[in-house]
Amino acid sequence: MSTATQPDLFAKVQANKERLDAHVREMVEWHFNPETGCPFWLNWAQEAGWDPRKEVTSYADLDKFGNFQDDELRGGPVRRWVPKGLAHRPVYVFETGGSTGIPKSRVQMDDFRIDYENFSETLPDEHFPKGADWLMLGPSGPRRLRLAVEHLAQHRGGIAFSVDLDPRWVIKLIKRGQLQEAELYKQHCIDQALTILRAHEVKCMFTTPKLLEALCEKVNLEKAGIKGVFCGGTEMTPQFHRFAVEELLGPNIYFAPTYGNTLMGLATHKAPEPEDNWAIIYYPPVPRAVLEVVDFDDATKVVDYGATGRVRLTTLTKETFIPRFLERDECEREAPCEQYPWDGVRNVRPFSRFQKSVVEGVY
Amino acid sequence: MLHLPILRYGKPYRSVDTATAVHYRTRKPYVEASQANVGLIRRDLMSQHEAAAILQGFTTKELIAMAAKASDYFLNHDLPLGETTQSPQEFVEAISATTGLPWVMVRRNMEKIAGVLASMETVLMGLTRLPSLDMLDSGVGDIDGRALSFFPRGDSMGVILPSNSPGVHSLWAPAIALKTPLILKPGSSEPWAPYRIIQAYVKAGVPAEVFGYYPTSHAGGGEILRGTGRGMLFGDVAAAKAWSGDPRIEIHGPGYSKIILADDGAASWEKYLDLMVDSVSNNSGRSCVNCSSIWTTGDSRKLAEALAERLAQIKPTAEDDPKAAIAPLANPDVAKRISAMVDSELDGGAEDLCAKVRGTARVAEYEGCTYLMPSVIHVSSKEHPMANREFGYPHVSVVHVEPHDLPECLGPTLVCTALTNDKQLHQRLLANPHIGRLNLGPISTMKISWDQPHEGNLFDHLYSRRAFQAVPELVG
């Protein structure tokens, strides 16, 4: 793999840094200008007593905001997040979480389209043919993914067929210990997918790791006509990556793992190389979103390349400004590469700091 | 470093995801085990019926003979271990390294497993109570002119194994002779014994394709239990509770094994002191058949003080000491947390007399290892929270109880040794549904008889009886 020590890559990394700093200045100007910013950030600046437009001139300066608290995104009025400069546009609201309590919301106009059009550029046409139809085997309802995948299919000239899938219900079942019910619900979703695959000529699909496994227990996707699978939504381990490529899909179906969420958009994976040993390496859509890996105990400190830390997200679009948001994930920091001359993340997984309990009984 | 692969119907598979078990003393990585992802397990379980068909091709006699050979291989021969081989002594040292068990205790457990394999015919006779084991091949027969038929309840048995002590493997090992493929999830600190049992069976002629060995996560273990026709779970209180409503799963949770002394037994408690010491401390208190509480209608304080005097003599020794009587905990933090939990429940009604006699703390360090030294908790009443608890070290509560409260006050009890000649109490104990194994008389709770299975009968778990009628010429 290319590393940041190569002179040409070093130049690219520097150029990207300058591009990112310029983008930060543009976004801060937009979000903190009383003519274009949203009520939340304009109020915030008033209370903070400093003007980001004057004091933020680079990406590094965003540290001055401290860590963004995601509770700010819960509840209404959601219009406090709509930038005045975009107030004339139709607004979508997408939710994340919400199996219990109030979900986090993100308002959007075009971001999901832009993110997925950019992502579309990374998909190989021979495996995701232009004009081909898609199966969207993922969450429905107030999820960004639902509309985003449909837009991706449309952007590439296809039509997306969707299933009904309520992930909040699944989480409730699991929390109640009703695992058999959860399994039945999963089969219900798979049945819908099988019906679509039987009734229509679908060549591409989005799904989550667990649903991909469950679908492949029922059908040989290559025989069903699938050429490319875009997978995301939950954690993928290197072993899952290998298992998906070697056993679920086989050599003729392209596997595109992604890491994303409603706040970020989606990070694309670097094409795997043997030395990666099936590690999944993602690069965020800089400058629209930046991922960093920070020290577990000091979130202002970015860890060294290869070291493990917590994922920190900064979202910088005209629709959404979220500086320094600590995700509930950890990973290793990955060096820039030719295709993506900025930091990436390796093997993202749930944040591992958990409480240990005493085991009662001899086991 | 040693690497243990997944065995997918006998075929080794090296996973990208691995987990490491450390040496209990050095805390350095000792062995790495491939970790199976949940989807891989699900996918493999789709073909478990093929493994079942393979075992159906053998007669029970052939499988019993193979088990006898496997016993010898397990105990005395070098066997494959990942890409290398393992001698019996290396096996002993490996289990000791990751669980802390002294060699002498590992060998005792090893002999227990080998004993079951060698005595498979006796074990199966005890489990099935059939006059002839040939009936296991035909699935039909008669006893005293009465027709009998049975059928397997599932294509395989999934077993979630513990890390505390290898003796428990003797419980599932007979499944092969009962023509049931095994899908095993080894304990994270004790991956050794199940792997070696599989290798011994394979060397003895059992096809490797009937064994699945899947080191995996908690979720992977759940998938094994959900995906196999029958299951067996060794787990703590929480794990046992999670699966308690599923009749397909035989649960081996905490044993809460007990000794009761009543009437004449309570009066002559001194003569049972050796038996009590053995029941509490054998195998370092790690077994579900270790006694965790003693209930007496006599003087509980005197009994507890005498027991504390004896158990306080137990001292940590080297792992290769043939007289080693206590094992260190593989994880020092666990020792500290358990001890803190015990302390948090001691009050005016519960006192650790062993700690008092010993004069030192329960958590002890010896040659870089952490031990939980024995506890004898004298408890003032049967209602006290410490009256009926179980921990994985020599820990026993001693409780005074009124005769009329026995045996109802005992609650679920895997093994109950009753030291009394009170015939009425015998009858009440015999009628009690919460006792898994009842020993009348001075029998250690640790003493197992293979033709007397407790905690579920493996044959009844794996097979079901059906009504059967046939005209004579069709059943020959």
Side-chain angles (χ1 to χ4, degrees):
Chain A
M1 197 194 87
S2 304
T3 70
T5 56
Q6 295 168 307
D8 53 341
L9 180 58
F10 183 75
K12 280 187 177 181
V13 170
Q14 279 304 111
N16 174 68
K17 189 176 173 301
E18 286 161 21
R19 184 175 69 123
L20 177 60
D21 286 343
H23 184 73
V24 166
R25 288 191 291 275
E26 186 190 341
M27 289 302 107
V28 168
E29 170 58 33
W30 171 268
H31 285 286
F32 293 92
N33 185 324
E35 301 297 316
T36 53
C38 69
F40 177 87
W41 284 117
L42 294 176
N43 290 342
W44 184 93
Q46 217 162 27
E47 286 173 20
W50 58 281
D51 186 354
R53 288 190 295 169
K54 287 182 186 153
E55 297 192 29
V56 174
T57 59
S58 68
Y59 178 78
D61 287 341
L62 293 175
D63 282 347
K64 292 175 183 172
F65 284 91
N67 291 330
F68 183 82
Q69 301 302 315
D70 61 346
D71 275 346
E72 301 283 8
L73 296 169
R74 295 185 203 278
V78 291
R79 281 188 172 76
R80 71 189 186 281
W81 295 103
V82 177
K84 289 181 186 171
L86 298 171
H88 59 289
R89 301 289 315 279
V91 175
Y92 293 89
V93 61
F94 298 118
E95 294 180 356
T96 177
S99 60
T100 54
I102 302 166
K104 287 175 273 179
S105 307
R106 179 180 173 185
V107 296
Q108 288 190 19
M109 296 84 193
D110 285 322
D111 267 357
F112 69 97
R113 296 191 186 94
I114 297 167
D115 288 341
Y116 277 69
E117 285 172 19
N118 290 343
F119 170 64
S120 177
E121 299 304 312
T122 71
L123 295 176
D125 287 350
E126 64 270 33
H127 289 286
F128 295 89
K130 294 279 172 61
D133 290 344
W134 283 64
L135 165 64
M136 164 53 183
L137 177 52
S140 54
R143 305 278 160 177
R144 173 180 140 120
L145 205 50
R146 155 78 178 84
L147 275 184
V149 171
E150 187 154 30
H151 179 73
L152 174 68
Q154 291 169 352
H155 177 70
R156 298 180 69 84
I159 295 168
F161 295 90
S162 301
V163 300
D164 266 339
L165 195 169
D166 178 1
R168 291 174 184 167
W169 179 238
V170 178
I171 290 169
K172 275 188 179 171
L173 290 173
I174 291 169
K175 280 186 178 168
R176 286 180 198 157
Q178 292 175 292
L179 300 180
Q180 194 60 33
E181 279 297 313
E183 181 67 24
L184 287 172
Y185 188 80
K186 183 166 76 178
Q187 290 308 324
H188 164 62
C189 298
I190 296 301
D191 287 347
Q192 295 176 61
L194 291 171
T195 303
I196 291 168
L197 288 177
R198 276 194 291 265
H200 303 280
E201 196 183 329
V202 169
K203 292 197 170 101
C204 315
M205 63 181 288
F206 168 84
T207 193
T208 65
K210 278 199 169 66
L211 290 171
L212 178 64
E213 287 173 354
L215 184 65
C216 290
E217 286 170 16
K218 301 282 184 185
V219 66
N220 179 318
L221 287 182
E222 187 178 352
K223 284 185 184 164
I226 297 294
K227 296 185 180 305
V229 172
F230 154 32
C231 190
T234 58
E235 180 205 4
M236 271 174 270
T237 65
Q239 173 58 24
F240 173 82
H241 186 193
R242 174 190 176 188
F243 176 65
V245 170
E246 286 185 347
E247 301 192 38
L248 299 180
L249 303 179
N252 300 320
I253 299 179
Y254 187 89
F255 183 63
T258 56
Y259 170 59
N261 56 42
T262 302
L263 302 187
M264 175 178 72
L266 80 169
T268 51
H269 82 295
K270 178 180 84 69
E273 294 174 62
E275 62 265 32
D276 294 335
N277 194 26
W278 299 100
I280 312 182
I281 299 163
Y282 300 113
Y283 286 91
V286 172
R288 293 169 57 77
V290 179
L291 289 177
E292 292 161 297
V293 186
V294 297
D295 189 278
F296 289 124
D297 298 313
D298 180 2
T300 63
K301 195 176 143 197
V302 174
V303 303
D304 292 338
Y305 287 117
T308 305
R310 191 167 177 181
V311 179
R312 187 173 74 171
L313 164 71
T314 294
T315 303
L316 298 162
T317 73
K318 274 192 163 183
E319 295 173 15
T320 303
F321 175 70
I322 298 177
R324 309 307 194 234
F325 170 60
L326 289 172
E327 294 277 9
R328 288 175 184 157
D329 293 319
E330 66 179 41
C331 65
E332 283 72 48
R333 182 184 174 198
E334 186 71 14
C337 64
E338 286 295 333
Q339 194 182 354
Y340 303 102
W342 54 79
D343 276 10
V345 291
R346 174 185 283 248
N347 292 339
V348 179
R349 54 203 178 263
F351 194 40
S352 63
R353 288 196 173 179
F354 53 84
Q355 285 191 321
K356 288 178 179 167
S357 57
V358 171
V359 172
E360 183 169 349
V362 295
Y363 306 112
Chain B
M1 189 174 21
L2 274 172
H3 178 92
L4 291 178
I6 296 162
L7 297 176
R8 305 177 69 181
Y9 296 116
K11 274 193 194 149
Y13 176 91
R14 193 178 182 117
S15 169
V16 183
D17 292 346
T18 57
T20 305
V22 299
H23 190 287
Y24 75 95
R25 188 173 353 94
T26 65
R27 309 302 301 158
K28 287 187 178 157
Y30 187 84
V31 63
E32 176 189 72
S34 274
Q35 297 294 296
N37 54 299
V38 172
L40 180 146
I41 294 169
R42 282 179 71 98
R43 198 162 183 83
D44 284 1
L45 291 181
M46 289 165 71
S47 49
Q48 55 187 295
H49 60 282
E50 293 170 19
I54 291 172
L55 278 180
Q56 289 299 331
F58 291 89
T59 65
T60 304
K61 271 194 185 125
E62 287 169 334
L63 293 170
I64 287 170
M66 288 178 199
K69 279 189 194 168
S71 168
D72 178 39
Y73 295 146
F74 177 76
L75 205 55
N76 302 314
H77 288 238
D78 287 5
L79 289 171
L81 179 77
E83 290 171 357
T84 180
T85 55
Q86 185 186 54
S87 71
Q89 176 58 23
E90 286 165 342
F91 171 71
V92 169
E93 291 175 22
I95 289 201
S96 178
T98 53
T99 67
L101 275 184
W103 294 2
V104 63
M105 292 187 197
V106 179
R107 288 202 184 97
R108 229 175 270 150
N109 283 295
M110 204 174 166
E111 279 159 16
K112 191 172 166 185
I113 295 166
V116 166
L117 294 172
S119 323
M120 194 58 75
E121 185 166 6
T122 309
V123 171
L124 294 195
M125 294 298 274
L127 291 171
T128 64
R129 307 286 160 139
L130 292 174
S132 161
L133 291 175
D134 292 342
M135 280 191 206
L136 287 174
D137 300 328
S138 59
V140 66
D142 75 82
I143 298 177
D144 297 332
R146 294 184 186 88
L148 181 71
S149 176
F150 41 79
F151 58 90
R153 292 172 185 253
D155 285 331
S156 68
M157 180 166 78
V159 191
I160 310 304
L161 292 163
S163 287
N164 57 326
S165 170
V168 296
H169 303 309
S170 50
L171 291 173
W172 53 263
I176 291 298
L178 289 168
K179 304 189 180 186
T180 305
L182 286 163
I183 307 292
L184 307 176
K185 174 191 180 293
S188 54
S189 305
E190 207 284 86
W192 311 102
Y195 196 92
R196 189 172 174 85
I197 292 170
I198 290 172
Q199 299 306 329
Y201 262 131
V202 170
K203 189 175 164 91
V206 177
E209 292 84 351
V210 305
F211 297 101
Y213 175 85
Y214 296 94
T216 184
S217 62
H218 183 72
E223 207 56 59
I224 288 174
L225 289 180
R226 268 188 295 280
T228 47
R230 308 303 285 176
M232 191 182 268
L233 166 74
F234 296 87
D236 63 7
V237 172
K241 191 178 168 194
W243 290 94
S244 61
D246 190 336
R248 300 175 307 110
I249 314 297
E250 187 176 288
I251 293 169
H252 298 255
Y256 300 115
S257 295
K258 299 176 178 75
I259 293 172
I260 59 172
L261 301 100
D263 196 36
D264 55 305
S268 53
W269 58 268
E270 290 99 330
K271 67 177 180 183
Y272 302 121
L273 211 48
D274 284 349
L275 180 146
M276 289 188 265
V277 168
D278 178 69
S279 296
V280 172
S281 64
N282 194 316
N283 206 34
S284 201
R286 290 194 179 187
S287 303
C288 50
V289 291
N290 275 115
C291 172
S292 57
S293 59
I294 296 171
W295 303 65
T296 176
T297 59
D299 188 335
S300 59
R301 180 87 193 181
K302 266 193 181 168
L303 190 159
E305 284 171 350
L307 193 57
E309 287 285 348
R310 289 286 302 275
L311 290 172
Q313 291 167 26
I314 292 177
K315 301 275 187 290
T317 56
E319 62 195 6
D320 58 353
D321 182 346
K323 290 184 178 165
I326 192 160
L329 275 82
N331 184 342
D333 291 340
V334 171
K336 286 167 193 157
R337 289 204 301 272
I338 291 175
S339 185
M341 189 178 187
V342 172
D343 281 338
S344 73
E345 299 200 23
L346 298 182
D347 52 24
E351 186 183 3
D352 186 350
L353 299 182
C354 208
K356 209 170 161 184
V357 173
R358 199 171 45 238
T360 58
R362 191 177 301 113
V363 177
E365 303 287 330
Y366 175 76
E367 291 190 350
C369 309
T370 306
Y371 291 77
L372 276 172
M373 301 308 293
S375 301
V376 177
I377 312 292
H378 181 252
V379 180
S380 59
S381 84
K382 66 182 191 321
E383 284 81 21
H384 193 283
M386 282 303 277
N388 192 8
R389 300 296 285 275
E390 177 181 294
F391 299 97
Y393 74 103
H395 169 101
V396 65
S397 303
V398 182
V399 196
H400 173 78
V401 64
E402 296 301 328
H404 60 264
D405 286 329
L406 288 170
E408 284 70 22
C409 62
L410 302 178
T413 302
L414 179 59
V415 183
C416 177
T417 289
L419 301 169
T420 176
N421 286 322
D422 180 343
K423 300 290 179 203
Q424 286 186 338
L425 180 53
H426 287 178
Q427 283 308 310
R428 297 208 300 275
L429 288 165
L430 285 163
N432 189 287
H434 301 302
I435 297 173
R437 172 189 289 272
L438 178 60
N439 296 329
L440 294 181
I443 300 166
S444 169
T445 59
M446 296 296 290
K447 187 173 164 48
I448 303 295
S449 168
W450 294 120
D451 64 349
Q452 294 285 330
H454 62 255
E455 227 180 349
N457 176 317
L458 187 63
F459 177 68
D460 289 343
H461 187 53
L462 298 178
Y463 284 82
S464 184
R465 290 168 208 273
R466 66 155 71 85
F468 181 76
Q469 298 176 92
V471 292
E473 58 268 32
L474 288 180
V475 289

